[in-house]
PDB file of all heavy atoms in Angstrom:
ATOM      1  N   MET B   1      37.682  20.264 -42.188  1.00 67.00           N
ATOM      2  CA  MET B   1      36.681  20.098 -43.265  1.00 67.00           C
ATOM      3  C   MET B   1      35.958  18.745 -43.145  1.00 67.00           C
ATOM      4  O   MET B   1      36.541  17.760 -42.716  1.00 67.00           O
ATOM      5  CB  MET B   1      37.380  20.221 -44.623  1.00 67.00           C
ATOM      6  CG  MET B   1      36.411  20.549 -45.744  1.00 67.00           C
ATOM      7  SD  MET B   1      36.840  19.677 -47.243  1.00 67.00           S
ATOM      8  CE  MET B   1      35.536  20.225 -48.322  1.00 67.00           C
ATOM      9  N   VAL B   2      34.697  18.771 -43.539  1.00 79.00           N
ATOM     10  CA  VAL B   2      33.851  17.595 -43.321  1.00 79.00           C
ATOM     11  C   VAL B   2      33.806  16.721 -44.577  1.00 79.00           C
ATOM     12  O   VAL B   2      33.540  17.200 -45.664  1.00 79.00           O
ATOM     13  CB  VAL B   2      32.413  18.021 -42.948  1.00 79.00           C
ATOM     14  CG1 VAL B   2      31.556  16.802 -42.749  1.00 79.00           C
ATOM     15  CG2 VAL B   2      32.423  18.895 -41.723  1.00 79.00           C
ATOM     16  N   ARG B   3      34.096  15.462 -44.398  1.00 82.00           N
ATOM     17  CA  ARG B   3      34.092  14.512 -45.514  1.00 82.00           C
ATOM     18  C   ARG B   3      32.856  13.643 -45.503  1.00 82.00           C
ATOM     19  O   ARG B   3      32.407  13.217 -44.452  1.00 82.00           O
ATOM     20  CB  ARG B   3      35.318  13.580 -45.407  1.00 82.00           C
ATOM     21  CG  ARG B   3      36.618  14.251 -45.779  1.00 82.00           C
ATOM     22  CD  ARG B   3      37.747  13.238 -45.612  1.00 82.00           C
ATOM     23  NE  ARG B   3      39.035  13.922 -45.637  1.00 82.00           N
ATOM     24  CZ  ARG B   3      40.109  13.533 -44.945  1.00 82.00           C
ATOM     25  NH1 ARG B   3      40.051  12.478 -44.170  1.00 82.00           N
ATOM     26  NH2 ARG B   3      41.232  14.201 -45.028  1.00 82.00           N
ATOM     27  N   THR B   5      32.113  10.427 -45.769  1.00 94.00           N
ATOM     28  CA  THR B   5      32.805   9.138 -45.763  1.00 94.00           C
ATOM     29  C   THR B   5      31.848   8.005 -46.091  1.00 94.00           C
ATOM     30  O   THR B   5      30.621   8.167 -46.080  1.00 94.00           O
ATOM     31  CB  THR B   5      33.418   8.880 -44.381  1.00 94.00           C
ATOM     32  OG1 THR B   5      32.357   8.826 -43.428  1.00 94.00           O
ATOM     33  CG2 THR B   5      34.384   9.976 -43.999  1.00 94.00           C
ATOM     34  N   GLN B   7      31.302   5.491 -44.187  1.00 97.00           N
ATOM     35  CA  GLN B   7      30.511   5.222 -42.972  1.00 97.00           C
ATOM     36  C   GLN B   7      29.287   6.129 -42.906  1.00 97.00           C
ATOM     37  O   GLN B   7      28.171   5.668 -42.647  1.00 97.00           O
ATOM     38  CB  GLN B   7      31.370   5.440 -41.718  1.00 97.00           C
ATOM     39  CG  GLN B   7      32.390   4.340 -41.454  1.00 97.00           C
ATOM     40  CD  GLN B   7      33.716   4.594 -42.154  1.00 97.00           C
ATOM     41  OE1 GLN B   7      33.795   5.369 -43.104  1.00 97.00           O
ATOM     42  NE2 GLN B   7      34.759   3.919 -41.711  1.00 97.00           N
ATOM     43  N   SER B  39      32.649   1.092 -35.833  1.00 98.00           N
ATOM     44  CA  SER B  39      32.538   1.206 -34.378  1.00 98.00           C
ATOM     45  C   SER B  39      31.282   1.979 -34.001  1.00 98.00           C
ATOM     46  O   SER B  39      30.793   2.829 -34.761  1.00 98.00           O
ATOM     47  CB  SER B  39      33.784   1.917 -33.849  1.00 98.00           C
ATOM     48  OG  SER B  39      33.501   2.612 -32.660  1.00 98.00           O
ATOM     49  N   THR B  42      31.553   5.682 -34.116  1.00 98.00           N
ATOM     50  CA  THR B  42      31.400   6.267 -35.451  1.00 98.00           C
ATOM     51  C   THR B  42      29.929   6.535 -35.754  1.00 98.00           C
ATOM     52  O   THR B  42      29.597   7.538 -36.391  1.00 98.00           O
ATOM     53  CB  THR B  42      32.001   5.324 -36.502  1.00 98.00           C
ATOM     54  OG1 THR B  42      33.383   5.150 -36.200  1.00 98.00           O
ATOM     55  CG2 THR B  42      31.857   5.878 -37.892  1.00 98.00           C
ATOM     56  N   ARG B  45      29.067   9.639 -33.811  1.00 98.00           N
ATOM     57  CA  ARG B  45      29.665  10.807 -34.448  1.00 98.00           C
ATOM     58  C   ARG B  45      28.930  11.204 -35.712  1.00 98.00           C
ATOM     59  O   ARG B  45      28.659  12.382 -35.955  1.00 98.00           O
ATOM     60  CB  ARG B  45      31.131  10.520 -34.784  1.00 98.00           C
ATOM     61  CG  ARG B  45      32.090  10.959 -33.711  1.00 98.00           C
ATOM     62  CD  ARG B  45      33.502  10.876 -34.225  1.00 98.00           C
ATOM     63  NE  ARG B  45      33.856   9.501 -34.580  1.00 98.00           N
ATOM     64  CZ  ARG B  45      34.700   8.745 -33.875  1.00 98.00           C
ATOM     65  NH1 ARG B  45      35.271   9.204 -32.810  1.00 98.00           N
ATOM     66  NH2 ARG B  45      34.979   7.517 -34.255  1.00 98.00           N
TER      67      ARG B  45
ATOM     68  P    DA C   6      47.763  20.047 -40.551  1.00 58.21           P
ATOM     69  OP1  DA C   6      48.183  21.450 -40.423  1.00 58.21           O
ATOM     70  OP2  DA C   6      48.127  19.069 -39.501  1.00 58.21           O
ATOM     71  O5'  DA C   6      46.202  19.991 -40.755  1.00 58.21           O
ATOM     72  C5'  DA C   6      45.642  20.105 -42.066  1.00 58.21           C
ATOM     73  C4'  DA C   6      44.425  19.201 -42.154  1.00 58.21           C
ATOM     74  O4'  DA C   6      44.843  17.824 -42.353  1.00 58.21           O
ATOM     75  C3'  DA C   6      43.548  19.211 -40.907  1.00 58.21           C
ATOM     76  O3'  DA C   6      42.203  19.270 -41.329  1.00 58.21           O
ATOM     77  C2'  DA C   6      43.858  17.881 -40.223  1.00 58.21           C
ATOM     78  C1'  DA C   6      44.194  16.997 -41.418  1.00 58.21           C
ATOM     79  N9   DA C   6      45.117  15.889 -41.117  1.00 58.21           N
ATOM     80  C8   DA C   6      46.208  15.911 -40.296  1.00 58.21           C
ATOM     81  N7   DA C   6      46.852  14.765 -40.244  1.00 58.21           N
ATOM     82  C5   DA C   6      46.128  13.936 -41.081  1.00 58.21           C
ATOM     83  C6   DA C   6      46.289  12.589 -41.458  1.00 58.21           C
ATOM     84  N6   DA C   6      47.279  11.811 -41.019  1.00 58.21           N
ATOM     85  N1   DA C   6      45.386  12.068 -42.321  1.00 58.21           N
ATOM     86  C2   DA C   6      44.388  12.849 -42.764  1.00 58.21           C
ATOM     87  N3   DA C   6      44.133  14.130 -42.489  1.00 58.21           N
ATOM     88  C4   DA C   6      45.045  14.617 -41.625  1.00 58.21           C
ATOM     89  P    DA C   7      41.055  19.551 -40.310  1.00 58.21           P
ATOM     90  OP1  DA C   7      40.322  20.740 -40.763  1.00 58.21           O
ATOM     91  OP2  DA C   7      41.596  19.461 -38.931  1.00 58.21           O
ATOM     92  O5'  DA C   7      40.136  18.278 -40.572  1.00 58.21           O
ATOM     93  C5'  DA C   7      39.871  17.886 -41.904  1.00 58.21           C
ATOM     94  C4'  DA C   7      39.358  16.462 -41.890  1.00 58.21           C
ATOM     95  O4'  DA C   7      40.444  15.553 -41.605  1.00 58.21           O
ATOM     96  C3'  DA C   7      38.293  16.217 -40.833  1.00 58.21           C
ATOM     97  O3'  DA C   7      37.241  15.519 -41.452  1.00 58.21           O
ATOM     98  C2'  DA C   7      39.006  15.379 -39.771  1.00 58.21           C
ATOM     99  C1'  DA C   7      40.048  14.636 -40.601  1.00 58.21           C
ATOM    100  N9   DA C   7      41.260  14.241 -39.888  1.00 58.21           N
ATOM    101  C8   DA C   7      42.001  14.983 -39.011  1.00 58.21           C
ATOM    102  N7   DA C   7      43.056  14.356 -38.544  1.00 58.21           N
ATOM    103  C5   DA C   7      43.003  13.114 -39.163  1.00 58.21           C
ATOM    104  C6   DA C   7      43.847  11.978 -39.090  1.00 58.21           C
ATOM    105  N6   DA C   7      44.934  11.921 -38.327  1.00 58.21           N
ATOM    106  N1   DA C   7      43.511  10.901 -39.835  1.00 58.21           N
ATOM    107  C2   DA C   7      42.409  10.971 -40.607  1.00 58.21           C
ATOM    108  N3   DA C   7      41.543  11.974 -40.752  1.00 58.21           N
ATOM    109  C4   DA C   7      41.901  13.029 -39.999  1.00 58.21           C
ATOM    110  P    DA C   8      35.966  15.055 -40.696  1.00 58.21           P
ATOM    111  OP1  DA C   8      34.830  15.252 -41.614  1.00 58.21           O
ATOM    112  OP2  DA C   8      35.977  15.668 -39.351  1.00 58.21           O
ATOM    113  O5'  DA C   8      36.214  13.506 -40.558  1.00 58.21           O
ATOM    114  C5'  DA C   8      36.422  12.734 -41.726  1.00 58.21           C
ATOM    115  C4'  DA C   8      36.651  11.298 -41.319  1.00 58.21           C
ATOM    116  O4'  DA C   8      37.936  11.198 -40.681  1.00 58.21           O
ATOM    117  C3'  DA C   8      35.622  10.773 -40.314  1.00 58.21           C
ATOM    118  O3'  DA C   8      35.136   9.547 -40.806  1.00 58.21           O
ATOM    119  C2'  DA C   8      36.405  10.642 -39.014  1.00 58.21           C
ATOM    120  C1'  DA C   8      37.828  10.418 -39.513  1.00 58.21           C
ATOM    121  N9   DA C   8      38.876  10.872 -38.602  1.00 58.21           N
ATOM    122  C8   DA C   8      38.981  12.078 -37.978  1.00 58.21           C
ATOM    123  N7   DA C   8      40.052  12.205 -37.226  1.00 58.21           N
ATOM    124  C5   DA C   8      40.691  10.990 -37.360  1.00 58.21           C
ATOM    125  C6   DA C   8      41.886  10.480 -36.809  1.00 58.21           C
ATOM    126  N6   DA C   8      42.671  11.174 -35.984  1.00 58.21           N
ATOM    127  N1   DA C   8      42.244   9.223 -37.144  1.00 58.21           N
ATOM    128  C2   DA C   8      41.456   8.529 -37.976  1.00 58.21           C
ATOM    129  N3   DA C   8      40.309   8.899 -38.562  1.00 58.21           N
ATOM    130  C4   DA C   8      39.983  10.152 -38.210  1.00 58.21           C
ATOM    131  P    DT C   9      34.172   8.617 -40.007  1.00 58.21           P
ATOM    132  OP1  DT C   9      33.336   7.920 -40.999  1.00 58.21           O
ATOM    133  OP2  DT C   9      33.600   9.383 -38.898  1.00 58.21           O
ATOM    134  O5'  DT C   9      35.200   7.571 -39.414  1.00 58.21           O
ATOM    135  C5'  DT C   9      36.000   6.789 -40.306  1.00 58.21           C
ATOM    136  C4'  DT C   9      36.873   5.858 -39.485  1.00 58.21           C
ATOM    137  O4'  DT C   9      37.770   6.654 -38.705  1.00 58.21           O
ATOM    138  C3'  DT C   9      36.088   4.993 -38.506  1.00 58.21           C
ATOM    139  O3'  DT C   9      36.197   3.645 -38.914  1.00 58.21           O
ATOM    140  C2'  DT C   9      36.740   5.261 -37.156  1.00 58.21           C
ATOM    141  C1'  DT C   9      38.023   5.995 -37.503  1.00 58.21           C
ATOM    142  N1   DT C   9      38.452   7.045 -36.547  1.00 58.21           N
ATOM    143  C2   DT C   9      39.613   6.873 -35.833  1.00 58.21           C
ATOM    144  O2   DT C   9      40.309   5.882 -35.925  1.00 58.21           O
ATOM    145  N3   DT C   9      39.931   7.915 -34.995  1.00 58.21           N
ATOM    146  C4   DT C   9      39.220   9.084 -34.803  1.00 58.21           C
ATOM    147  O4   DT C   9      39.602   9.949 -34.032  1.00 58.21           O
ATOM    148  C5   DT C   9      38.007   9.195 -35.582  1.00 58.21           C
ATOM    149  C7   DT C   9      37.162  10.426 -35.450  1.00 58.21           C
ATOM    150  C6   DT C   9      37.686   8.188 -36.398  1.00 58.21           C
ATOM    151  P    DG C  10      35.269   2.553 -38.265  1.00 58.21           P
ATOM    152  OP1  DG C  10      35.087   1.468 -39.255  1.00 58.21           O
ATOM    153  OP2  DG C  10      34.099   3.246 -37.676  1.00 58.21           O
ATOM    154  O5'  DG C  10      36.162   2.016 -37.069  1.00 58.21           O
ATOM    155  C5'  DG C  10      37.374   1.344 -37.357  1.00 58.21           C
ATOM    156  C4'  DG C  10      38.044   0.913 -36.055  1.00 58.21           C
ATOM    157  O4'  DG C  10      38.484   2.095 -35.333  1.00 58.21           O
ATOM    158  C3'  DG C  10      37.150   0.139 -35.078  1.00 58.21           C
ATOM    159  O3'  DG C  10      37.936  -0.925 -34.556  1.00 58.21           O
ATOM    160  C2'  DG C  10      36.768   1.174 -34.025  1.00 58.21           C
ATOM    161  C1'  DG C  10      37.985   2.089 -34.005  1.00 58.21           C
ATOM    162  N9   DG C  10      37.732   3.496 -33.666  1.00 58.21           N
ATOM    163  C8   DG C  10      36.660   4.267 -34.052  1.00 58.21           C
ATOM    164  N7   DG C  10      36.728   5.502 -33.616  1.00 58.21           N
ATOM    165  C5   DG C  10      37.916   5.547 -32.898  1.00 58.21           C
ATOM    166  C6   DG C  10      38.521   6.630 -32.194  1.00 58.21           C
ATOM    167  O6   DG C  10      38.117   7.786 -32.067  1.00 58.21           O
ATOM    168  N1   DG C  10      39.719   6.246 -31.598  1.00 58.21           N
ATOM    169  C2   DG C  10      40.268   4.987 -31.682  1.00 58.21           C
ATOM    170  N2   DG C  10      41.423   4.808 -31.040  1.00 58.21           N
ATOM    171  N3   DG C  10      39.716   3.973 -32.333  1.00 58.21           N
ATOM    172  C4   DG C  10      38.548   4.319 -32.916  1.00 58.21           C
ATOM    173  P    DA C  11      37.390  -1.963 -33.542  1.00 58.21           P
ATOM    174  OP1  DA C  11      38.005  -3.273 -33.867  1.00 58.21           O
ATOM    175  OP2  DA C  11      35.925  -1.834 -33.481  1.00 58.21           O
ATOM    176  O5'  DA C  11      38.008  -1.469 -32.161  1.00 58.21           O
ATOM    177  C5'  DA C  11      39.427  -1.328 -32.039  1.00 58.21           C
ATOM    178  C4'  DA C  11      39.743  -0.813 -30.635  1.00 58.21           C
ATOM    179  O4'  DA C  11      39.453   0.603 -30.564  1.00 58.21           O
ATOM    180  C3'  DA C  11      38.929  -1.475 -29.524  1.00 58.21           C
ATOM    181  O3'  DA C  11      39.823  -1.859 -28.487  1.00 58.21           O
ATOM    182  C2'  DA C  11      37.943  -0.407 -29.095  1.00 58.21           C
ATOM    183  C1'  DA C  11      38.722   0.879 -29.390  1.00 58.21           C
ATOM    184  N9   DA C  11      37.871   2.038 -29.664  1.00 58.21           N
ATOM    185  C8   DA C  11      36.689   2.062 -30.356  1.00 58.21           C
ATOM    186  N7   DA C  11      36.146   3.256 -30.437  1.00 58.21           N
ATOM    187  C5   DA C  11      37.032   4.074 -29.746  1.00 58.21           C
ATOM    188  C6   DA C  11      37.035   5.454 -29.466  1.00 58.21           C
ATOM    189  N6   DA C  11      36.076   6.292 -29.873  1.00 58.21           N
ATOM    190  N1   DA C  11      38.073   5.956 -28.751  1.00 58.21           N
ATOM    191  C2   DA C  11      39.029   5.110 -28.346  1.00 58.21           C
ATOM    192  N3   DA C  11      39.144   3.797 -28.549  1.00 58.21           N
ATOM    193  C4   DA C  11      38.101   3.334 -29.259  1.00 58.21           C
ATOM    194  P    DT C  12      39.308  -2.619 -27.178  1.00 58.21           P
ATOM    195  OP1  DT C  12      40.404  -3.496 -26.739  1.00 58.21           O
ATOM    196  OP2  DT C  12      37.960  -3.152 -27.441  1.00 58.21           O
ATOM    197  O5'  DT C  12      39.178  -1.459 -26.112  1.00 58.21           O
ATOM    198  C5'  DT C  12      40.209  -0.464 -26.029  1.00 58.21           C
ATOM    199  C4'  DT C  12      39.738   0.675 -25.148  1.00 58.21           C
ATOM    200  O4'  DT C  12      38.924   1.613 -25.889  1.00 58.21           O
ATOM    201  C3'  DT C  12      38.868   0.241 -23.958  1.00 58.21           C
ATOM    202  O3'  DT C  12      39.292   0.976 -22.840  1.00 58.21           O
ATOM    203  C2'  DT C  12      37.484   0.691 -24.376  1.00 58.21           C
ATOM    204  C1'  DT C  12      37.868   1.995 -25.058  1.00 58.21           C
ATOM    205  N1   DT C  12      36.801   2.637 -25.831  1.00 58.21           N
ATOM    206  C2   DT C  12      36.738   4.012 -25.803  1.00 58.21           C
ATOM    207  O2   DT C  12      37.522   4.709 -25.185  1.00 58.21           O
ATOM    208  N3   DT C  12      35.711   4.557 -26.525  1.00 58.21           N
ATOM    209  C4   DT C  12      34.754   3.866 -27.256  1.00 58.21           C
ATOM    210  O4   DT C  12      33.885   4.469 -27.867  1.00 58.21           O
ATOM    211  C5   DT C  12      34.885   2.426 -27.245  1.00 58.21           C
ATOM    212  C7   DT C  12      33.920   1.582 -28.000  1.00 58.21           C
ATOM    213  C6   DT C  12      35.889   1.893 -26.540  1.00 58.21           C
ATOM    214  P    DT C  19      14.661   5.483 -14.272  1.00 58.21           P
ATOM    215  OP1  DT C  19      13.732   5.028 -15.315  1.00 58.21           O
ATOM    216  OP2  DT C  19      14.234   6.335 -13.160  1.00 58.21           O
ATOM    217  O5'  DT C  19      15.373   4.192 -13.668  1.00 58.21           O
ATOM    218  C5'  DT C  19      15.973   3.262 -14.544  1.00 58.21           C
ATOM    219  C4'  DT C  19      16.523   2.096 -13.739  1.00 58.21           C
ATOM    220  O4'  DT C  19      17.631   2.545 -12.935  1.00 58.21           O
ATOM    221  C3'  DT C  19      15.520   1.460 -12.776  1.00 58.21           C
ATOM    222  O3'  DT C  19      15.601   0.061 -13.004  1.00 58.21           O
ATOM    223  C2'  DT C  19      15.997   1.903 -11.402  1.00 58.21           C
ATOM    224  C1'  DT C  19      17.496   2.026 -11.627  1.00 58.21           C
ATOM    225  N1   DT C  19      18.256   2.963 -10.756  1.00 58.21           N
ATOM    226  C2   DT C  19      19.432   2.516 -10.178  1.00 58.21           C
ATOM    227  O2   DT C  19      19.847   1.386 -10.324  1.00 58.21           O
ATOM    228  N3   DT C  19      20.086   3.453  -9.417  1.00 58.21           N
ATOM    229  C4   DT C  19      19.707   4.764  -9.189  1.00 58.21           C
ATOM    230  O4   DT C  19      20.389   5.500  -8.487  1.00 58.21           O
ATOM    231  C5   DT C  19      18.468   5.164  -9.827  1.00 58.21           C
ATOM    232  C7   DT C  19      17.978   6.556  -9.631  1.00 58.21           C
ATOM    233  C6   DT C  19      17.816   4.259 -10.564  1.00 58.21           C
TER     234       DT C  19
END
Side-chain angles (χ1 to χ4, degrees):
Chain B
M1 200 218 179
V2 179
R3 286 179 194 147
T5 62
Q7 286 88 340
S39 152
T42 300
R45 267 190 298 252

